[in-house]
Amino acid sequence: MNTLLTAPAAPRPYALDAAGVTLSAILAEPAPGTAPRSTILAVHGRGMRAAYWNSFVPLATALGHTVLAVDRPGYGESANLLPEGLTLAEQADTLHAALKEHARTHDIGAGVFLLGHSDGGKVALHTAATDGSVPLLGLDTSGTGYFYNPEALHFPSTLGGGATKLNWGPLNLYPRGTFQASRALLSPTPPRESAETIHWPRQFEALAPRVRVPVRLTFAEHEFWWQLDEPTLAAMTARLTSAPTTTVAHHPAAGHNITLGLTAPAYHLRVLTFLEECLMVPAAG
């Protein structure tokens, strides 16, 4: 592929108009003059920012995909406009509006591939379950389960440091300097988002049957937020009745924040392999 022989364009700050709400984002495109094969909407987790996906960008763009890593509604530039944030469903509606506007001015390739992490995976699932005007190719989430681990049910604050074990797992799974550098990624979780966290299992049950794209659910070896026993995971996939395929993947030597860890390159390769499989089937409109 020619895209492997030419350096991609440098990632740049980007603003998305989402029906009157301006979302800050990072836009990374393939080499100048190269049409993107697809557009990957990368959705960060609770208390994070779009730069969580920085390490994913070079490989994805080198393989010919555009990466649109967005600060979710209530984060980044939209935090002042939405100080209370939005519910997960409202965030999905806002992202659909942003994608529609982006597609009006940019080539999105074969369609949009949803990539979510943690609470961003919840938003990605809502987005996949909501009708929009942009074709969707598939959905890969990491760290987004069904039922919470009982030890996580007090939902400790990321900024307050109470979620260290839940978010990271063993600290030797991350490159030196990760924890100091990651402080720049942290952001307060909007109140409306936090308030509905406890209701996620019921929300998932309602939206799962409406997801009509291939789904891949990735869980780190040291994932402590979620119950990951086989019956629970089987119950989760069983609810995705309209998804053409549903896969559960377990990623070794990683904690909840897979993309910041030493084994992130392996995870990213598996995400992009799944995207290749999604490109073989028609996109969902």
Side-chain angles (χ1 to χ4, degrees), residues 74-96:
Y75 293 84
E77 292 302 314
S78 68
N80 289 335
L81 180 64
L82 301 169
E84 297 297 308
L86 296 177
T87 67
L88 301 179
E90 291 168 343
Q91 290 182 47
D93 289 340
T94 304
L95 290 183
H96 270 298

Side-chain angles (χ1 to χ4, degrees), residues 3 6-13 26-34 54 57-67:
T3 52
T6 310
R12 59 186 174 89
I26 298 167
L27 180 65
E29 299 173 296
T34 301
N54 279 356
V57 165
L59 180 58
T61 53
L63 291 174
H65 306 286
T66 290
V67 178

Side-chain angles (χ1 to χ4, degrees), residues 111-163:
V112 173
F113 180 81
L114 300 170
L115 177 62
H117 170 67
S118 194
D119 275 16
K122 298 176 185 178
V123 175
L125 279 158
H126 274 280
T127 304
T130 307
D131 291 333
S133 59
V134 176
L136 300 180
L137 300 169
L139 164 66
D140 189 303
T141 77
S142 63
T144 309
Y146 184 7
F147 291 111
Y148 290 101
N149 182 337
E151 295 180 7
L153 281 175
H154 60 298
F155 305 122
S157 166
T158 297
L159 285 176

